[in-house]
Structures are given as C-alpha cells and as structure tokens.
Amino acid sequence: MSQTQVVHRFEGEFDSIVVGAGSAGCVVANRLSTDPAHRVLLLEGGGRDNWIWFHIPVGYLFAIGNPRSDWMFETVKEPGLNGRSLKYPRGKAIGGSSAINAMISMRGQAQDYDHWRQLGLTGWGWDDVLPVFKRLDDHFLGDTAFHGKGGEWRVEEARLRWDVLDAVVKAAVEMGIRPTSDFNTGDNDGVGYFHVNQKRGVRWSSARGFLKPVLSRPNLQLETEVLVEKVLFEGRRAVGVLFRRGGELYEARARQEVILSAGSIGSAQILQLSGVGPSEALGQHGIDVVLDKPGVGSNLQDHLQQRAIYKVSGVKTLNETYHSLMGRAAMGLEYALFQRGPLTMAPSQLGIFTKSSPEHERANIQFHVQPLSLDKFGDPLHRFPAITVSACNLRPTSRGSVRLRSSNPSDKPLIAPNYLSTDEDRQVAADAIRVTRRLMEQSSLAPYRPDEYLPGPKVGNDAADLARAAGDIGTTIFHPIGTAKMGLESDPMAVVDERLRVIGLQGLRVIDASVMPTITSGNTNTPTIMIADKGARMAVEDRRA
C-alpha cells in the first residue's frame, strides 16, 4: 500500500465480517444473519452469478478457464508432473467454486471424520457430522437414516443416462465391485451414478441455496468485486479488514469477529498478507509479523486424477453431438422444453470407489467416468467418440503449500501441491492405471472396442512406466484443502482449533475447506458446506456464551 494512499472508512456498523461469498461463505452469512440484531458484512472478490453458464450445468465447460468466472490460478511447475504446471480453477462469483464445479454430492467416508476425531478434534467424528449433513439436505430420497428433507442443499438424481456408461457399470460389477444407488451413507465403496446439486436441471450453488433467499435481510450486506487486502489487528485481536474497490481503499470494522471463508487458496493468502503465517516467508516480502504461524499455507492436499481416455465404437458419446450443428440444436431444444439431456450433465456422471490394491482396508481410489473427452478444460471436445475414465488417489500422502508471490494482494499466490512426491502416492497412481486398464478389458465393454488413447498402449505396465505416465496425464480434480488446518494447540502446524478459531489470536476464525486436517475420500464441496454450517453455529454459540 502506498504511503499516500487514502483509506476510507466503510460506512456501516457490523458485528461480523465474512470474507468470501463462496461455498462456505454463503452458508456462514446465512447462519450469522439469522439473528436480526447481528449485522453481517459479506465481501466477495468476484461478481454476481448473472451469467447463463453459471446455471446451465454443462456451463462448466465455458466457465472453467474464463476470467469472468475463474480466478485463473496456476500451480508452479511440479516435479511430480514431469515439470508441468496445471491450471487451478477457483470460482469467481457469489457461490464461489460451487458456481463452476462438478455439482457432485459427495460426503466421503465415515472413517475420514472419525480420523479427525482421533486427532483430538472433539465434535468432528462421523456421528457428529452426519446430523449436520442431514439438516442441510433437501434430498430427493426424502427423510431417511442418511438424508434429510427441507434443508437448503438440494440433491437430485442425474437427468440422463448413456448406454456406454451403463456398460461401464456392468464392467465394474464383472470385476467384483458392488453396485450402489447412494454413495453418501458413510461407505462409498461401489459403482453407481452420482447424485447432483441441481434442481430440475439447473445448477444449485451455495449462493442459490443459502445466500439469495436471505439477501433481503436488513442486517446482511453483500459487497461484490472487492479485493480484501488484509485483516486489521489491534494487538492480537482482529478488528476489521482492509479492502479495495476499483482504485479506492476502504476499512471496515467488525465489533465481534472476522471470518475468513475465501477457500484454501484465498484464506491462506489473506492470512499471510495480514502478518499471520511463517515468519521467515513473511519477512522475505517485508510483511510485519502479527503471529508466527508456520501452518498457514502448509498442509495443502488435493486429489490428483489420471485422465485415461478410451476411443470407443458403435455407441454414442457427447463428442459427436458437440460437433454436430443438428446435435447441438437438439440438445438446446431438449433442455429448453424439458430441462433434461446433455446440457444438464455434471462433468462426471458415473462414479466408482474401489481399492487400488488389496492391502488397502477401504476404497482408496475414485473414478469419474464421462461420456466425452478433451485435452483439457476450456478446449473443445475431441472429434472422435470416446470416454474419459479418471482415477484419483482419495487420500494422498503428498503435502504442498500456498505461499505469497509478493506483498501485493493482486499478485496470484504460488501454489505448489507437490503431487506424487511420496513413494506411496506414486504406487497408488500406477496401480490406479492398472485398475483402469482391467476395467476397460471386461467383456461388458467388448462390443464397443475400447482403444486406449491416453496414457496409450506404448506405456508399459511396470511401476516406473506407470508412475511416469501418471505424471504426464495427471491433473487436479479441483479439491484443495488443508492450508489452515484444525488441530490441537500442541500441534505447531495447527492454525485453528476445533471451533475454527485461529489459535493465538482473538476475533478471527477460518471457516472453509482450508481447515480440513486431512482430505475427505471424495469430492470436497459438500463437506465444505457441512463445515460452514457447523462452524457458523459454533460462532453463534460462542457469541452467546
């Protein structure tokens, strides 16, 4: 900040300031503003979700990699990916990444949360979080032992089927994988179609479910297209934030709490810009240290997928329809009339959870199977009929980091996931490709003559070749977590306690995916929504205590 830059006082009195109106922030703002006497300011760096491709599900093809809807982050060049850098999409609008993500409703496995409890995090075991998931649900299955009805988080069945995906289901069953109609019972082992966060063929983002219905509350104020530069402190108490709109700087004050819900990239970046993080790293950028907290920006975990692609014959895939004018017209008409068909597609329709090898006690890889193929998101679909069969390691042991590039808040941070940096992760990646090949060799798929396009028949089946191939074709599945992890005060890498309060500071919480100590075994958006609901209720309880 320039020494001569004028800082304006932002008009209004607020009890809580929530930074980020993404998957978590929309929930947090909703819950905090339930009390009409509690004034909440919600700050979002992106804009409103007033673009058609935020709402038509297949719009992810146009939203990812578009600066209108994506923060356009990139990783550093990753040694484990043979020197490649990856695009790292994050949603840039109210709803955050839930405005551009896969819409897959997935909680993970009961053991994920029981592990958190075993780390000493009271209240985070499966039996603790299941009632939260149920309370949030507005599920097409209704009120059951595992699901709820009437919540804000809408879950529906997919609104189309593909013959080629039905054949993959049969192939998985041939391999001994059980069929399942519900991945969200605490045990997601099996093969089946994903449930999706949609309502009648329209994307159901966190903004649509939690924020827009309550924006009329007089005690909730949303400001978009603002860049939060740092949290303001008096001593070790957070008292507000400094943010920029256009060329002007503003200071907003919070009487009670500042809550960071900017995600695993954004929250880690803001904490470091605010002087909370590894002191040595902050000193390199001339940032005054408020609290030496080495865990900030560390412990980054993500699901790396090996995107295997198989050409097929004699069966329809989206590739051919996409490149046909008549096909596109038919898709548009089907959606306009019935809200069905390919335009309702999530990026992946079919899921398989299984073991990469017998020594694992529970499913440790997840397949996302798609009736389409492309080189990367943002590129057109291939012109030949094909399916994508992506396998990811559900519980990677590699750990990465998010660090500042400079002290300029506008500079994108250095994102280093450190993929495939452990022997275990390389072994799982190699085994996952073997499982993929075995799946595609099953007799149920023989009529469609699957032909391996990626990684390709030249890649052998030995561990070294497969690990190298995983580095060549591996890409993020967009699930960064852990950069402000929950932990005990005795853990030097912990950033927040079990109530999501930043350890060593007052008046500051982090409530988003960054607080996960370890990654959940599946897509991470629904667990983030759960964390937001639980964390916000904790904030309310602590306020009243």
Side-chain angles (χ1 to χ4, degrees):
M1 183 177 68
S2 168
Q3 295 293 322
T4 59
Q5 179 79 58
V6 175
V7 179
H8 305 280
R9 183 67 181 266
F10 188 70
E11 187 175 345
E13 298 291 331
F14 303 98
D15 298 295
S16 295
I17 297 175
V18 181
V19 179
S23 293
C26 290
V27 181
V28 173
N30 176 303
R31 299 300 188 248
L32 294 183
S33 63
T34 300
D35 178 356
H38 190 82
R39 289 189 52 78
V40 179
L41 175 63
L42 177 59
L43 300 174
E44 166 56 35
R48 299 278 182 147
D49 59 347
N50 53 358
W51 184 39
I52 190 171
W53 295 120
F54 284 131
H55 306 291
I56 296 178
V58 82
Y60 74 91
L61 286 170
F62 311 105
I64 291 176
N66 187 324
R68 175 174 183 169
S69 46
D70 182 354
W71 284 105
M72 306 292 288
F73 293 135
E74 295 184 16
T75 72
V76 301
K77 292 181 178 179
E78 287 278 292
L81 301 184
N82 304 324
R84 291 185 300 127
S85 172
L86 298 182
K87 305 294 185 184
Y88 217 68
R90 297 284 88 195
K92 186 181 178 184
I94 59 170
S97 292
S98 74
I100 67 170
N101 73 351
M103 297 163 282
I104 293 171
S105 175
M106 185 65 60
R107 296 170 178 173
Q109 298 168 0
Q111 294 96 323
D112 300 331
Y113 304 97
D114 288 342
H115 174 62
W116 295 1
R117 185 189 60 213
Q118 291 158 8
L119 293 173
L121 300 171
T122 304
W124 290 96
W126 174 249
D127 289 342
D128 302 304
V129 302
L130 178 57
V132 184
F133 283 124
K134 289 183 64 177
R135 180 171 68 222
L136 290 163
D137 265 352
D138 185 21
H139 206 285
F140 75 94
L141 291 174
D143 195 3
T144 69
F146 296 105
H147 298 294
K149 190 74 176 171
E152 298 100 330
W153 198 226
R154 181 65 185 165
V155 181
E156 295 188 349
E157 289 185 290
R159 296 170 72 85
L160 78 167
R161 285 288 190 276
W162 296 82
D163 289 344
V164 69
L165 297 188
D166 289 341
V168 174
V169 172
K170 294 176 183 176
V173 172
E174 279 186 71
M175 286 176 60
I177 299 171
R178 69 185 186 189
T180 182
S181 60
D182 186 0
F183 287 120
N184 286 307
T185 64
D187 178 4
N188 55 16
D189 191 289
V191 56
Y193 284 89
F194 291 124
H195 298 162
V196 292
N197 296 119
Q198 295 181 11
K199 186 169 185 178
R200 293 191 289 274
V202 179
R203 174 187 290 273
W204 193 262
S205 71
S206 183
R208 189 176 176 202
F210 297 94
L211 181 59
K212 289 184 175 181
V214 301
L215 274 178
S216 60
R217 290 176 180 170
N219 61 318
L220 174 59
Q221 184 170 334
L222 168 67
E223 299 291 334
T224 59
E225 298 183 350
V226 299
L227 178 67
V228 172
E229 298 204 345
K230 64 179 182 178
V231 177
L232 300 173
F233 291 95
E234 290 180 357
R236 288 197 170 181
R237 180 172 188 82
V239 295
V241 298
L242 186 72
F243 68 86
R244 186 179 297 274
R245 171 180 280 148
E248 300 294 322
L249 272 176
Y250 295 87
E251 177 185 301
R253 289 270 169 164
R255 287 185 289 233
Q256 295 182 12
E257 243 181 355
V258 174
I259 297 175
L260 297 182
S261 296
S264 292
I265 309 304
S267 290
Q269 182 182 21
I270 293 168
L271 282 169
Q272 292 175 79
L273 288 167
S274 307
V276 181
S279 58
E280 183 177 352
L282 301 184
Q284 291 173 357
H285 300 298
I287 295 172
D288 293 334
V289 177
V290 173
L291 181 65
D292 180 17
K293 187 65 75 172
V296 172
S298 303
N299 194 48
L300 175 63
Q301 298 158 59
D302 189 15
H303 288 140
L304 181 76
Q305 62 176 341
Q306 283 76 241
R307 291 183 61 250
I309 295 174
Y310 284 79
K311 294 181 178 180
V312 293
S313 305
V315 67
K316 183 179 179 181
T317 74
L318 187 61
N319 288 8
E320 311 91 276
T321 308
Y322 176 86
H323 288 288
S324 161
L325 288 177
M326 289 291 290
R328 288 192 185 192
M331 286 192 296
L333 185 62
E334 184 178 13
Y335 186 80
L337 293 177
F338 309 111
Q339 283 75 57
R340 291 188 173 275
L343 294 191
T344 69
M345 281 174 53
S348 301
Q349 295 74 53
L350 182 69
I352 305 172
F353 288 81
T354 190
K355 299 175 183 178
S356 61
S357 58
E359 66 264 20
H360 294 276
E361 64 176 22
R362 54 190 167 110
N364 72 309
I365 57 172
Q366 175 185 5
F367 284 89
H368 290 79
V369 189
Q370 307 160 284
L372 57 87
S373 66
L374 69 170
D375 289 330
K376 63 181 184 298
F377 285 111
D379 286 0
L381 303 186
H382 290 142
R383 289 190 172 274
F384 49 79
I387 64 173
T388 301
V389 189
S390 293
C392 74
N393 180 355
L394 288 171
R395 293 181 294 279
T397 54
S398 298
R399 298 291 184 267
S401 64
V402 175
R403 294 283 179 253
L404 298 179
R405 190 178 300 271
S406 76
S407 61
N408 184 346
S410 298
D411 284 349
K412 295 173 182 176
L414 295 167
I415 303 171
N418 210 21
Y419 295 120
L420 300 178
S421 59
T422 67
D423 290 341
E424 181 178 336
D425 286 359
R426 289 189 290 273
Q427 183 65 54
V428 171
D431 288 341
I433 295 175
R434 291 190 182 104
V435 175
T436 305
R437 286 175 165 174
R438 192 160 72 249
L439 172 71
M440 300 307 292
E441 290 168 354
Q442 299 301 310
S443 61
S444 295
L445 287 166
Y448 308 123
R449 300 186 294 282
D451 177 23
E452 186 176 312
Y453 176 75
L454 279 180
K458 291 183 179 180
V459 176
N461 234 19
D462 65 272
D465 281 353
L466 292 175
R468 187 164 49 252
D472 287 336
I473 67 173
T475 187
T476 177
I477 209 160
F478 321 131
H479 297 163
I481 66 98
T483 54
K485 75 166 188 172
M486 277 190 283
L488 302 179
E489 290 192 31
S490 57
D491 179 355
M493 298 303 289
V495 177
V496 300
D497 63 16
E498 74 278 1
R499 298 188 72 78
L500 311 188
R501 300 170 296 202
V502 176
I503 298 168
L505 298 172
Q506 293 80 49
L508 183 62
R509 286 182 208 254
V510 182
I511 305 180
D512 57 30
S514 68
V515 306
M516 295 187 196
T518 52
I519 198 164
T520 53
S521 301
N523 309 73
T524 53
N525 194 60
T526 292
T528 300
I529 299 292
M530 178 276 293
I531 288 169
D533 181 83
K534 188 172 173 65
R537 290 172 188 269
M538 287 175 171
V540 172
E541 291 166 2
D542 291 347
R543 187 172 77 226
R544 293 172 178 170

